[in-house]
């Protein structure tokens, strides 16, 4: 057989590999009830939050409303450097807590079912797995943000809460929150790679980071520092109702930085560890 008749086998390009893995992951996502359950949970959260505001106290007195504006359940009024009141965090940030749990279940099932073992013994590369899981998880949380907004608007209408807002800042806040899905998804994917053999620990770790407990504890020890918060929670501090194009740009920069950092570290962990 001459050289001209020899068959040449070339490994698929990164784009083709990632496209194939994304196709599988999206198919699995859309065909599992878990995804739709979490979408429903995201829609119910703002209704529950608004329903608890202004309720009668134990002695019959009416408590001060947690929110005076419907859009405050979407984002804080100003950049949230340190959580000093639960009302500051009781907004769309809660989507990322439940999103982390969903990511844990999604990746945990990969290892429990043996899917990862089959995947890595055939042709998949570790970086493709990290990137695919990050993008699918980000998409899932962005969808949860959408249902959260729908639920929040419905709850605001039913409760008669004000809708007055600077439309431009609101749009920046909403887009910023949705962009944050990418950064949070990369963090949660990384955590689940680290604790891949311990499903319970992975869920607890996602909850721990998602609730902001880390920054509250760090601030108590080191003092209130915007630099500390930006390092730990990236764009979380900028997606607010007084945001603008610059703060939105900051959200993009932080989320992309998180994605690159956690995907690189996660890929290294996968290459150096037994993934089964």
């Amino acid at each position: 057989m001459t050289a001209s008749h020899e068959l040449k086998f070339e490994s698929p390009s990164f784009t083709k590999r990632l496209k194939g893995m994304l196709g599988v992951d999206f198919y699995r996502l859309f065909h599992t009830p878990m995804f739709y359950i979490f979408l429903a949970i995201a829609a119910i959260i703002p209704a529950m939050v608004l329903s608890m505001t202004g309720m009668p106290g134990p002695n019959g007195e009416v408590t001060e409303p947690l929110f005076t504006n419907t859009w405050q359940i979407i984002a804080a009024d100003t950049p949230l450097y340190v959580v000093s009141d639960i009302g500051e965090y009781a907004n769309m940030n809660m989507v990322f807590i439940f999103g982390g749990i969903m990511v844990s279940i999604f990746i945990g099932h990969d290892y429990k079912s043996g899917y990862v073992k089959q995947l890595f013994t055939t042709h998949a590369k570790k970086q493709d797995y990290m990137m695919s899981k990050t993008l699918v998880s980000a998409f899932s949380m962005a969808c949860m943000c959408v249902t959260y907004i729908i639920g929040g608007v419905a709850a605001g209408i039913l409760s008669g809460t004000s809708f007055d807002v600077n439309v431009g800042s609101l749009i920046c806040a909403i887009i910023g929150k949705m962009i944050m899905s990418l950064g949070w998804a990369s963090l949660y994917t990384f955590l689940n790679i680290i604790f891949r053999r311990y499903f319970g620990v992975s869920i607890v770790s996602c909850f721990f980071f998602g609730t902001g407990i880390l920054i509250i504890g760090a601030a108590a020890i080191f003092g209130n520092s915007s630099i500390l918060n930006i390092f730990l929670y990236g764009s979380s501090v900028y997606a607010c109702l007084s945001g603008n194009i610059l703060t939105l740009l900051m959200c993009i920069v932080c989320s992309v930085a998180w994605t690159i950092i956690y995907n690189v570290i996660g890929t290294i962990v996968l290459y150096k560890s037994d993934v089964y």
Side-chain angles (χ1 to χ4, degrees), residues 223-243:
N224 185 356
S225 170
S226 59
I227 298 299
L228 177 66
N229 193 296
I230 293 172
F231 175 75
L232 292 175
Y233 282 89
S235 57
S236 299
V237 300
Y238 292 110
C240 63
L241 296 179
S242 58

Side-chain angles (χ1 to χ4, degrees), residues 24-94:
V24 173
D25 281 339
F26 273 115
Y27 178 87
R28 295 173 61 219
L29 178 70
F30 292 137
H31 287 79
T32 176
M34 174 191 68
F35 175 58
Y36 303 99
I37 291 173
F38 276 92
L39 289 181
I41 290 174
I44 294 172
I45 292 173
M48 294 179 60
V49 172
L50 276 183
S51 67
M52 293 186 297
T53 64
M55 296 180 61
N59 298 322
E61 75 281 4
V62 177
T63 59
E64 184 177 349
L66 190 62
F67 298 113
T68 57
N69 189 290
T70 299
W71 302 117
Q72 289 174 328
I73 64 175
I74 301 296
D77 289 324
T78 57
L80 189 60
Y81 291 111
V82 174
V83 180
S84 59
D85 184 274
I86 188 60
E88 294 178 332
Y89 202 85
N91 52 48
M92 198 185 288
N93 290 335
M94 292 185 289

Side-chain angles (χ1 to χ4, degrees), residues 70-249:
T70 299
W71 302 117
Q72 289 174 328
I73 64 175
I74 301 296
D77 289 324
T78 57
L80 189 60
Y81 291 111
V82 174
V83 180
S84 59
D85 184 274
I86 188 60
E88 294 178 332
Y89 202 85
N91 52 48
M92 198 185 288
N93 290 335
M94 292 185 289
V95 165
F96 304 122
I97 301 175
F98 290 95
I101 297 174
M102 184 179 66
V103 174
S104 294
I105 296 174
F106 195 47
I107 296 180
H109 182 266
D110 284 354
Y111 285 90
K112 185 178 180 180
S113 65
Y115 171 72
V116 168
K117 181 177 181 179
Q118 178 185 9
L119 189 67
F120 291 144
T121 53
T122 53
H123 55 78
K125 295 182 179 294
K126 309 299 190 302
Q127 62 265 29
D128 301 346
Y129 180 84
M130 282 291 302
M131 184 59 70
S132 179
K133 285 296 181 290
T134 297
L135 292 176
V136 171
S137 299
F139 171 82
S140 302
M141 283 189 273
C143 289
M144 291 174 66
C145 288
V146 173
T147 58
Y148 181 97
I149 294 172
I150 294 173
V153 171
I157 293 174
L158 293 175
S159 63
T161 310
S162 172
F163 279 89
D164 294 336
V165 71
N166 181 307
V167 177
S169 294
L170 174 64
I171 292 175
C172 287
I174 291 176
I175 296 176
K177 293 284 186 182
M178 296 184 73
I179 289 174
M180 283 170 54
S181 297
L182 180 62
W184 282 107
S186 63
L187 170 61
Y188 290 140
T189 301
F190 169 71
L191 290 175
N192 278 275
I193 293 301
I194 296 295
F195 302 113
R196 57 192 177 278
R197 292 192 181 94
Y198 309 99
F199 178 67
V201 176
S202 67
I203 289 183
V204 171
S205 66
C206 290
F207 182 83
F208 177 80
F209 279 89
T211 54
I213 295 176
L214 180 61
I215 186 60
I216 294 175
I221 297 174
F222 301 106
N224 185 356
S225 170
S226 59
I227 298 299
L228 177 66
N229 193 296
I230 293 172
F231 175 75
L232 292 175
Y233 282 89
S235 57
S236 299
V237 300
Y238 292 110
C240 63
L241 296 179
S242 58
N244 51 45
I245 297 299
L246 291 179
T247 57
L248 179 58
L249 178 61

